[in-house]
Amino acid sequence: MAGNSFGTLFRCTSWGESHGPAIGVVVDGVPPRLPLSEADIQPWLDRRRPGQSRFTTQRREADLVRILSGTFEGRTTGTPIQLLIENTDQREKDYRNIADRFRPGHADYTYWRKYGIRDYRGGGRASARETAARVAAGAIARKILGPDIVIRGALVAVGPHAIDRAAWDWRQVEDNPFWCPDAAAAKLWAAYLDEVRKAGSSTGAVVEIIASGVPPGLGEPVYDKLDGDLARALMTINAVKGVEIGAGFAAARLCGEENADEMRIRDGQVRFLSNNAGGILGGISTGQDIVVRFAVKPTSSIPTPLRTVDALGNEVEISTHGRHDPCVGIRAVPVGEAMIACVLADHLLRHRALGG
Amino acid sequence: MAGNSFGTLFRCTSWGESHGPAIGVVVDGVPPRLPLSEADIQPWLDRRRPGQSRFTTQRREADLVRILSGTFEGRTTGTPIQLLIENTDQREKDYRNIADRFRPGHADYTYWRKYGIRDYRGGGRASARETAARVAAGAIARKILGPDIVIRGALVAVGPHAIDRAAWDWRQVEDNPFWCPDAAAAKLWAAYLDEVRKAGSSTGAVVEIIASGVPPGLGEPVYDKLDGDLARALMTINAVKGVEIGAGFAAARLCGEENADEMRIRDGQVRFLSNNAGGILGGISTGQDIVVRFAVKPTSSIPTPLRTVDALGNEVEISTHGRHDPCVGIRAVPVGEAMIACVLADHLLRHRALGG
Amino acid sequence: MAGNSFGTLFRCTSWGESHGPAIGVVVDGVPPRLPLSEADIQPWLDRRRPGQSRFTTQRREADLVRILSGTFEGRTTGTPIQLLIENTDQREKDYRNIADRFRPGHADYTYWRKYGIRDYRGGGRASARETAARVAAGAIARKILGPDIVIRGALVAVGPHAIDRAAWDWRQVEDNPFWCPDAAAAKLWAAYLDEVRKAGSSTGAVVEIIASGVPPGLGEPVYDKLDGDLARALMTINAVKGVEIGAGFAAARLCGEENADEMRIRDGQVRFLSNNAGGILGGISTGQDIVVRFAVKPTSSIPTPLRTVDALGNEVEISTHGRHDPCVGIRAVPVGEAMIACVLADHLLRHRALGG
Amino acid sequence: MAGNSFGTLFRCTSWGESHGPAIGVVVDGVPPRLPLSEADIQPWLDRRRPGQSRFTTQRREADLVRILSGTFEGRTTGTPIQLLIENTDQREKDYRNIADRFRPGHADYTYWRKYGIRDYRGGGRASARETAARVAAGAIARKILGPDIVIRGALVAVGPHAIDRAAWDWRQVEDNPFWCPDAAAAKLWAAYLDEVRKAGSSTGAVVEIIASGVPPGLGEPVYDKLDGDLARALMTINAVKGVEIGAGFAAARLCGEENADEMRIRDGQVRFLSNNAGGILGGISTGQDIVVRFAVKPTSSIPTPLRTVDALGNEVEISTHGRHDPCVGIRAVPVGEAMIACVLADHLLRHRALGG
């Protein structure tokens, strides 16, 4: 119970269901005197907003954020900041048919088993709509981190099609509907996703987030290690099934001398010669880029009929038509960035308490 | 700061350095009247204990656990349980040479950057020795979970050599020094690891843990999801670089109808036809087996010389001789099991608070 | 930082300033399937609402509560409940004169020292308006506690005038504007408060809360003792300067045999012959009535001029005219009740996790 | 459950029973590089140690503390510090007679109701012996606070006999067995306590703690207010029944202009003309002395026979002979100081995280 908060000093508490009147998040622990208005938050929400291309859900939400507390004359005051986003495009009747049926791959069955009641409209609390709250909180986290810490995400694989890492170009990321850093891959994905959609199916994806400019020293061993907190933060995003840091699972196939990031002195500074660690050693940031990847499963709501059961114990079939992302991994990119920002902001404050 | 505890209701606080007088853990929140003595904990520690084969470190520690509080006449009382394990085989002088040098892949550099001081002896707090505390706590967690919840781990890959999953046999796991469920793979690994060791190197590995008998309903959306807490728990284990649930990263390559675990009624019960979800949907257990895997990087301490720097800013080389695991992934198996047990015990108690 | 939440399993996170657009509270950890609508909460807010007699502030707030999340078809779902109350009677210009001046007895000076910025309008976050959030949360807590646990408060002293405890009559409490259980005292207080107000002054008060029907066993030694959590909860209410349990400070003047609550068997049940303990022993509820009292200081905003300083370091005088309670202790009664309800609900859930 | 920790960044987790092998505390979140050895902690334990005068229990405990972790070469490392104190003077057989009987005023009955099992020897976990862990932790807290923050306690009333505050002399406090700042009162108390003891009784007391040099700005509104955390910390000490800040309960009898602490500028600094607030406004320290008082009930273990019941439902009598404090309030002085130190250290670190 009481599982809707995360962070220790920078602490977010979110609330709201997909088809209730609104969703939102209380962001507590924000240092005072930071300039903050809706204009600082809205652009990040706009990046996540659905309906921006044919590859994401056609639900139309303006996702306009309002600050209800915690600022005064355009600056934070140190008191909790309530961010509220109204739900405007609810189509309750779309969901009558799933009131008693458990969609495979969704949380329908488990919410019903856990709570004995569930708001079935659009997935209720389990809807990816909740991630708007994360993105809004992430915008505040970025204000705490300041301009020197840059957090950027990209989609690095869609279904079986991975990018060519040699072709990585950050400028591409904003130029295609996939946050794809490889122009050739983006073209391939467009064709692939059209095909997937026509087939009444969906596909998974892999997201990579890189945080640059993070100072060494963030992370609190041994259970609040930075990588532990990042893994949790990302794994709680809807549809995420795996998280890795640096070389990640590939590290398991390496030998010791390949994996070790050797160090030299360059211009009087310690420099690592590689970054298999993904910027974290012993749960503490090294000062290198923090590199994390996470796997997003294919959208569970698909037109293809699936076998399932209902709450009365009947065997039924279900197929989902209407507004759904063929690849939820796409919109997971800004969400992942936001979660990284929140975790880093929390650890920055925690580290500051050390006087360091 | 204050990062040495985990869990909400079942809460573990560990302490101790590799070469201090002792290590231990306070386990708080244990329900009363459970039978508990050292004999319930010691066998689990013995499984993790170093020096049991030529494939693990030759450090000799009896790892005898003492219960200093929280039990009375052989039963828990509901008060905190202090478990203490003395360090007996400390060889402080082995570490003089690393007092000022940062071993690549270790936490030496980051502890120094974070704290400005570090206990360099055997890695201090960052030593894998700390995992003995986790295993001890896990033994108590198992008592809470009861005999119907069975948590078993296995090594499923060593370096480039994965098991044949078709050959999986749990009985094999206790019969070879690798917790390997595939007899043929175990033989191959023995040869491979001998070769690795002779080469002055080390190798990574992948561990898989399966928890059976977990009731549906465990997990607290949306930030204390069961998979989120599992990911964090595993990612905080030394050398772990990736965690995945169920199909994990492979799910990113699947299409929707492949990934969805369809449901039917069998003998009046809901049955899933597959388990790509790894027993968790929407952050809540489904009642299926919970399946998690984690990647362990190769041991960073190797005889092969590596380039590094020292605290004075000099470029130096370092090579580690002596007592080290060529594949730390092996001993991570019981540690991973213990962490899963702790997370499940915590969520079992949290769920019970719902009256469910 | 991040100090705007309380409770472990039943967890409240409040937000909002006196003169912002709204205030509210996220109540997380509420068990599912409890009937809940605005009609369950509004009556408790109405009891606290200002402007109901000439003895409280004349600020006019409807204090209408809206549930924005966490319920479905009139029942709780186990997800976080956002309660929102709009601020409607803001008079910003009333506060221009205190923008730079520190009202003695208020949080003006300390917020300025802590945060370097403050929302001076009506005290901002430090306003007693925040207690509406507590009362709203308390209404939900009462639903968890159920009808057998009854929490009632009364004013037992106003300035130097205490009630005659022999005259205690709960029916009186709802019949006078002071929540006074002693009809004679209520008359005296009315006259006294008229006098105080005419004198441009204010007065303190003592509130007593009694919780009946609390089962034995609630409270988590040794740092989350029930009395410890109650003391904290009450001490965080605006203007509270002291908290006591049972005999409280009077216990310090007793000898051992007077203070000890002896026990006998009555009708096969354990019965205590007195209740100096106030229903709590060793931090755990005994099953007797839980009795707590707290002292509320006189309202700091008074017409009588007081010496103070401003943010520029000038010595100035300040006097407060307008809408203020001559005795804030009166409206503290429903607030105190609500805080007790919240603490008990949290401990009820925590105890339930024990399987007890 | 899991109620044996307190603090957010400076976090203490205590464990141990009165008659187990040892008691102790893990102190987590201590900043690195502070000089710390047993010699910094032992003097504070010696002040609390029993058996130092005829007015405290004659149990003989050396209370020697050992640091088992968290320091290296005489300095803290930022890792958790385990402090262990062995129990040496256990007399288990003294307690056989209370194995099934509930001593009035003790936690015997409530532990039995809550847990269904209890370690009856010397009160088990509910013993005042647990306060040694608090005092040990407090010694580390003082190192964090540094020499400019001075925390001193005194006994200000024993039974009906209060000190003459005009006669307050801190030098007296170390010169009598009562921590009494008024030499005349100390003499009176000695005679009174001899009388109480001869009568087979015990008496309550009031303790006052003053923290000087605390900077303005500590405390996290609105639920982690400094006074709220202080109240909780003190209320969790054994036998405490009331806590007040500054004028405390007396504030309820004051009028507004008496209670308000007016401000002037003196030597360019803000100066308060009184301190009814006890150094805290709006839950944040003002920079004035922090003044708290707490009431300690009379020792419940007395030779005079008391009526009670046993676990089988029989009515019995109980009288306690042997080693008990006639006035536990005396030894509560160093305990109260320690708890204040711990709360202030935690809030100092929390405030530092703000960058303030």
Side-chain angles (χ1 to χ4, degrees):
Chain A
M1 311 186 63
N4 293 282
S5 300
F6 73 101
T8 296
L9 294 183
F10 176 80
R11 190 159 177 84
C12 303
T13 300
S14 87
W15 54 273
E17 279 84 28
S18 175
H19 285 62
I23 61 168
V25 58
V26 185
V27 184
D28 198 9
V30 180
R33 302 188 306 279
L34 296 174
L36 185 74
S37 73
E38 279 90 350
D40 294 302
I41 304 169
Q42 195 62 51
W44 300 104
L45 281 168
D46 292 346
R47 294 176 81 227
R48 177 204 157 278
R49 193 151 49 87
Q52 305 195 80
S53 82
R54 71 180 186 277
F55 305 108
T56 60
T57 172
Q58 296 306 303
R59 180 170 173 168
R60 296 284 168 195
E61 288 287 357
D63 276 356
L64 289 177
V65 66
R66 286 182 64 204
I67 298 175
L68 294 190
S69 65
T71 62
F72 184 62
E73 299 179 345
R75 301 171 86 86
T76 60
T77 59
T79 65
I81 299 171
Q82 169 66 274
L83 304 177
L84 183 135
I85 301 165
E86 286 186 46
N87 293 326
T88 56
D89 189 17
Q90 301 128 294
R91 298 195 191 163
E92 207 165 310
K93 67 175 162 38
D94 285 7
Y95 297 97
R96 293 277 153 74
N97 68 318
I98 61 158
D100 288 319
R101 295 175 175 209
F102 306 126
R103 294 169 298 167
H106 276 285
D108 299 349
Y109 176 71
T110 51
Y111 270 63
W112 180 69
R113 288 301 301 258
K114 181 174 189 69
Y115 299 117
I117 184 175
R118 74 192 170 89
D119 180 348
Y120 56 80
R121 301 166 304 164
R125 180 73 180 147
S127 167
R129 179 139 188 76
E130 180 269 331
T131 60
R134 300 174 188 238
V135 170
I140 298 179
R142 288 182 197 256
K143 299 292 269 192
I144 295 172
L145 295 173
D148 293 341
I149 297 179
V150 176
I151 300 165
R152 294 185 291 187
L155 208 61
V156 296
V158 167
H161 305 293
I163 61 162
D164 172 7
R165 301 187 76 89
W168 193 297
D169 177 357
W170 278 112
R171 287 164 304 181
Q172 288 296 324
V173 162
E174 305 279 339
D175 278 355
N176 60 65
F178 309 109
W179 318 107
C180 178
D182 167 1
K187 268 182 210 155
L188 178 65
W189 294 352
Y192 178 67
L193 283 172
D194 282 333
E195 192 183 305
V196 161
R197 210 172 27 177
K198 272 175 218 154
S201 188
S202 62
T203 189
V206 178
V207 178
E208 180 165 324
I209 314 278
I210 297 175
S212 303
V214 178
L218 307 195
E220 303 296 330
V222 295
Y223 302 121
D224 294 353
K225 286 178 172 175
L226 186 56
D227 37 1
D229 278 7
L230 290 171
R232 180 165 81 149
L234 296 173
M235 194 66 97
T236 67
I237 299 173
N238 307 48
V240 172
K241 299 305 288 182
V243 179
E244 59 180 14
I245 313 283
F249 276 87
R253 293 187 293 274
L254 298 178
C255 65
E257 60 272 29
E258 288 167 334
N259 181 67
D261 301 317
E262 295 182 296
M263 287 176 269
R264 297 281 84 178
I265 302 292
R266 296 283 178 268
D267 305 324
Q269 300 289 315
V270 173
R271 286 289 171 264
F272 290 88
L273 306 184
S274 55
N275 189 13
N276 288 306
I280 301 173
L281 283 172
I284 300 170
S285 62
T286 63
Q288 284 196 285
D289 281 357
I290 290 177
V291 181
V292 297
R293 268 177 306 280
F294 58 97
V296 184
K297 70 180 184 184
T299 314
S300 299
S301 301
I302 51 175
T304 299
L306 295 170
R307 289 171 291 173
T308 188
V309 300
D310 67 16
L312 302 170
N314 300 308
E315 298 192 334
V316 295
E317 286 210 340
I318 201 161
S319 63
T320 312
H321 298 279
R323 307 178 300 173
H324 292 284
D325 296 278
C327 175
V328 282
I330 300 171
R331 288 171 58 216
V333 174
V335 180
E337 288 177 2
M339 292 307 279
I340 303 295
C342 290
V343 170
L344 290 176
D346 187 36
H347 277 282
L348 191 75
L349 299 181
R350 292 179 77 173
H351 185 58
R352 199 185 278 168
L354 277 174
Chain B
M1 310 184 65
N4 292 282
S5 301
F6 72 102
T8 296
L9 294 183
F10 176 80
R11 190 159 177 84
C12 303
T13 300
S14 87
W15 54 273
E17 279 84 28
S18 175
H19 285 61
I23 61 168
V25 57
V26 184
V27 184
D28 198 8
V30 180
R33 303 187 306 278
L34 295 174
L36 186 74
S37 72
E38 280 90 350
D40 294 301
I41 304 169
Q42 195 62 52
W44 301 104
L45 282 167
D46 291 346
R47 293 177 81 226
R48 178 205 156 277
R49 193 151 50 86
Q52 305 195 80
S53 81
R54 71 181 185 277
F55 305 107
T56 60
T57 171
Q58 298 306 302
R59 179 169 174 169
R60 296 284 168 195
E61 287 287 355
D63 275 355
L64 289 177
V65 65
R66 284 180 66 203
I67 298 175
L68 294 189
S69 65
T71 62
F72 184 60
E73 300 180 343
R75 300 172 85 86
T76 60
T77 59
T79 64
I81 300 171
Q82 169 66 274
L83 304 177
L84 184 136
I85 301 165
E86 285 186 47
N87 292 327
T88 57
D89 188 17
Q90 301 127 293
R91 299 195 192 163
E92 206 165 309
K93 66 175 166 32
D94 285 6
Y95 296 97
R96 293 277 153 72
N97 69 318
I98 62 159
D100 287 320
R101 294 176 175 209
F102 306 127
R103 294 168 300 168
H106 276 285
D108 299 349
Y109 176 69
T110 51
Y111 270 63
W112 179 70
R113 287 300 301 258
K114 182 173 189 68
Y115 300 116
I117 183 176
R118 75 190 169 92
D119 179 349
Y120 56 80
R121 301 166 305 163
R125 180 72 181 148
S127 167
R129 179 139 189 75
E130 181 269 330
T131 60
R134 301 174 187 239
V135 171
I140 298 179
R142 288 183 197 255
K143 300 291 269 191
I144 295 173
L145 296 172
D148 294 341
I149 299 179
V150 176
I151 300 165
R152 293 185 291 187
L155 208 62
V156 296
V158 167
H161 305 294
I163 61 162
D164 172 6
R165 300 187 78 90
W168 192 298
D169 177 358
W170 279 112
R171 287 164 305 181
Q172 288 296 325
V173 162
E174 305 279 337
D175 278 354
N176 61 65
F178 308 110
W179 318 107
C180 178
D182 167 2
K187 268 183 210 154
L188 179 65
W189 294 351
Y192 178 67
L193 284 172
D194 281 335
E195 194 184 302
V196 162
R197 208 172 30 180
K198 271 176 217 152
S201 188
S202 62
T203 188
V206 178
V207 177
E208 180 167 323
I209 315 278
I210 297 175
S212 304
V214 177
L218 307 196
E220 304 295 331
V222 295
Y223 301 122
D224 294 353
K225 286 178 172 174
L226 186 56
D227 37 1
D229 276 9
L230 290 171
R232 181 166 78 149
L234 295 174
M235 194 67 97
T236 65
I237 299 173
N238 307 49
V240 173
K241 299 304 287 183
V243 178
E244 59 181 13
I245 313 284
F249 275 87
R253 293 186 294 274
L254 298 178
C255 67
E257 60 273 28
E258 289 166 332
N259 182 67
D261 300 317
E262 296 182 295
M263 286 176 270
R264 295 281 85 178
I265 303 293
R266 296 284 178 267
D267 304 325
Q269 300 289 316
V270 173
R271 285 288 171 267
F272 290 88
L273 306 183
S274 57
N275 190 13
N276 287 307
I280 301 173
L281 282 172
I284 300 171
S285 61
T286 62
Q288 285 196 285
D289 281 358
I290 291 176
V291 181
V292 297
R293 268 177 305 282
F294 59 96
V296 184
K297 70 180 184 184
T299 315
S300 299
S301 300
I302 51 174
T304 299
L306 295 170
R307 289 171 290 173
T308 189
V309 301
D310 68 16
L312 303 170
N314 301 307
E315 299 191 335
V316 294
E317 287 208 340
I318 200 160
S319 63
T320 312
H321 299 279
R323 307 177 301 173
H324 290 285
D325 295 278
C327 174
V328 282
I330 301 171
R331 286 171 59 216
V333 175
V335 180
E337 289 177 2
M339 292 306 280
I340 302 296
C342 289
V343 170
L344 290 176
D346 188 34
H347 276 282
L348 191 76
L349 299 181
R350 292 179 76 173
H351 186 57
R352 199 185 276 169
L354 277 174
Chain C
M1 311 185 63
N4 293 282
S5 300
F6 73 102
T8 296
L9 294 183
F10 176 80
R11 189 158 178 85
C12 303
T13 300
S14 87
W15 54 273
E17 278 84 29
S18 175
H19 286 60
I23 60 168
V25 58
V26 185
V27 184
D28 198 9
V30 180
R33 303 186 308 278
L34 295 173
L36 185 75
S37 73
E38 280 89 350
D40 294 301
I41 304 169
Q42 196 61 52
W44 300 106
L45 281 167
D46 292 345
R47 295 177 81 225
R48 178 205 157 277
R49 193 151 49 87
Q52 305 195 81
S53 81
R54 71 180 186 276
F55 305 108
T56 60
T57 171
Q58 296 307 301
R59 178 170 174 169
R60 296 284 169 193
E61 287 288 355
D63 275 355
L64 287 177
V65 67
R66 284 182 66 205
I67 298 175
L68 294 189
S69 65
T71 62
F72 183 61
E73 299 179 345
R75 302 171 85 88
T76 59
T77 60
T79 65
I81 300 171
Q82 169 65 274
L83 304 177
L84 183 136
I85 301 166
E86 284 185 46
N87 293 326
T88 57
D89 189 17
Q90 302 127 293
R91 299 196 191 162
E92 206 165 311
K93 67 176 164 33
D94 286 8
Y95 298 96
R96 294 276 154 72
N97 69 318
I98 62 159
D100 288 319
R101 294 173 175 211
F102 306 126
R103 294 168 299 166
H106 276 285
D108 299 349
Y109 176 69
T110 51
Y111 270 61
W112 179 70
R113 288 300 301 257
K114 182 174 189 67
Y115 300 116
I117 183 176
R118 74 190 171 91
D119 179 348
Y120 56 79
R121 302 165 305 162
R125 180 74 182 147
S127 166
R129 179 137 189 78
E130 180 269 331
T131 60
R134 300 175 187 239
V135 170
I140 298 179
R142 288 183 197 255
K143 300 290 270 191
I144 296 172
L145 296 172
D148 294 340
I149 298 180
V150 176
I151 300 166
R152 294 186 290 188
L155 209 61
V156 297
V158 167
H161 305 292
I163 61 161
D164 172 7
R165 300 186 77 88
W168 192 296
D169 177 358
W170 278 112
R171 289 165 304 182
Q172 287 296 324
V173 161
E174 304 281 337
D175 279 355
N176 61 64
F178 308 110
W179 318 107
C180 178
D182 167 1
K187 269 185 209 152
L188 179 64
W189 293 353
Y192 178 68
L193 283 173
D194 281 335
E195 193 184 301
V196 161
R197 209 173 28 177
K198 272 177 219 151
S201 187
S202 63
T203 188
V206 178
V207 177
E208 180 165 323
I209 315 278
I210 297 175
S212 303
V214 178
L218 306 195
E220 303 297 331
V222 295
Y223 301 121
D224 294 353
K225 286 178 172 176
L226 186 57
D227 38 0
D229 277 8
L230 290 170
R232 182 167 78 149
L234 296 173
M235 193 67 97
T236 65
I237 299 172
N238 308 49
V240 173
K241 299 304 288 183
V243 178
E244 59 182 13
I245 313 283
F249 275 86
R253 292 187 294 275
L254 298 178
C255 66
E257 59 273 29
E258 289 167 332
N259 181 67
D261 301 316
E262 295 181 296
M263 287 176 269
R264 297 280 84 177
I265 302 293
R266 296 284 178 269
D267 305 324
Q269 299 289 315
V270 172
R271 286 288 170 267
F272 290 89
L273 306 183
S274 56
N275 190 13
N276 287 308
I280 300 173
L281 283 173
I284 300 170
S285 62
T286 62
Q288 286 196 285
D289 281 357
I290 290 177
V291 181
V292 297
R293 269 178 304 281
F294 58 96
V296 184
K297 70 180 185 183
T299 315
S300 298
S301 299
I302 51 176
T304 300
L306 295 170
R307 290 171 289 173
T308 188
V309 301
D310 68 16
L312 305 170
N314 301 308
E315 298 192 333
V316 294
E317 287 209 340
I318 201 159
S319 63
T320 311
H321 299 280
R323 306 177 300 172
H324 291 284
D325 295 278
C327 174
V328 281
I330 300 170
R331 287 172 58 216
V333 175
V335 180
E337 288 177 3
M339 292 305 279
I340 302 296
C342 290
V343 171
L344 289 176
D346 188 36
H347 277 282
L348 191 75
L349 298 181
R350 292 179 76 174
H351 185 57
R352 199 184 278 169
L354 278 173
Chain D
M1 310 184 67
N4 293 283
S5 299
F6 73 102
T8 295
L9 294 182
F10 176 80
R11 189 158 177 87
C12 302
T13 300
S14 87
W15 54 274
E17 279 83 28
S18 175
H19 285 61
I23 61 170
V25 58
V26 184
V27 184
D28 198 9
V30 180
R33 301 186 309 276
L34 295 173
L36 184 74
S37 72
E38 281 90 348
D40 294 301
I41 303 170
Q42 196 61 50
W44 301 104
L45 282 168
D46 291 346
R47 294 177 81 226
R48 179 205 154 277
R49 192 151 52 85
Q52 305 195 80
S53 81
R54 71 180 186 276
F55 305 108
T56 60
T57 171
Q58 296 307 300
R59 179 170 173 167
R60 296 286 169 193
E61 287 288 356
D63 276 355
L64 288 177
V65 66
R66 284 181 65 205
I67 298 175
L68 294 190
S69 66
T71 62
F72 184 61
E73 299 180 343
R75 302 171 86 87
T76 60
T77 59
T79 66
I81 300 171
Q82 169 67 273
L83 303 177
L84 184 137
I85 302 166
E86 285 186 44
N87 292 326
T88 56
D89 189 16
Q90 301 127 293
R91 299 193 192 165
E92 206 165 309
K93 68 176 164 34
D94 287 8
Y95 296 96
R96 294 276 153 73
N97 68 318
I98 61 158
D100 288 319
R101 295 175 173 209
F102 306 126
R103 294 168 299 166
H106 276 285
D108 300 348
Y109 176 70
T110 51
Y111 270 62
W112 180 70
R113 287 301 300 259
K114 183 174 188 68
Y115 300 116
I117 184 176
R118 73 190 172 90
D119 180 348
Y120 56 79
R121 300 166 305 162
R125 180 74 181 147
S127 166
R129 179 138 188 76
E130 180 270 331
T131 60
R134 302 174 187 239
V135 170
I140 297 179
R142 289 183 197 255
K143 299 291 269 191
I144 295 172
L145 295 172
D148 293 340
I149 298 180
V150 176
I151 300 165
R152 293 186 291 187
L155 208 61
V156 297
V158 167
H161 306 293
I163 61 161
D164 173 6
R165 300 187 76 90
W168 192 297
D169 177 358
W170 278 113
R171 288 165 305 180
Q172 288 296 325
V173 162
E174 304 279 338
D175 279 354
N176 60 63
F178 308 109
W179 317 108
C180 178
D182 166 3
K187 268 183 209 152
L188 178 65
W189 293 352
Y192 177 68
L193 284 173
D194 282 335
E195 193 184 301
V196 161
R197 208 172 30 178
K198 271 177 217 152
S201 187
S202 63
T203 188
V206 178
V207 176
E208 181 165 322
I209 314 278
I210 297 174
S212 303
V214 178
L218 305 196
E220 303 297 330
V222 294
Y223 302 121
D224 294 353
K225 286 178 171 175
L226 186 57
D227 37 1
D229 277 8
L230 290 171
R232 182 166 79 147
L234 296 173
M235 194 66 96
T236 66
I237 299 173
N238 307 49
V240 172
K241 299 304 289 182
V243 178
E244 60 181 13
I245 313 283
F249 275 87
R253 293 185 294 273
L254 298 178
C255 66
E257 60 272 29
E258 289 167 332
N259 182 66
D261 300 318
E262 295 182 297
M263 287 175 270
R264 297 281 85 178
I265 302 291
R266 297 283 178 267
D267 304 325
Q269 300 289 314
V270 173
R271 285 288 170 265
F272 291 89
L273 307 183
S274 55
N275 190 13
N276 287 308
I280 301 173
L281 283 172
I284 299 170
S285 62
T286 63
Q288 285 196 286
D289 280 358
I290 290 177
V291 181
V292 296
R293 268 178 305 281
F294 58 97
V296 184
K297 70 181 185 183
T299 314
S300 298
S301 300
I302 51 174
T304 299
L306 295 170
R307 288 171 290 173
T308 188
V309 300
D310 67 17
L312 304 169
N314 301 308
E315 298 192 333
V316 294
E317 287 209 339
I318 201 160
S319 63
T320 311
H321 299 279
R323 306 177 301 173
H324 292 284
D325 295 278
C327 175
V328 281
I330 300 171
R331 288 171 58 215
V333 175
V335 180
E337 290 176 2
M339 291 306 279
I340 302 296
C342 289
V343 170
L344 290 175
D346 188 36
H347 277 282
L348 191 76
L349 298 182
R350 292 179 77 173
H351 185 57
R352 199 185 278 169
L354 278 174

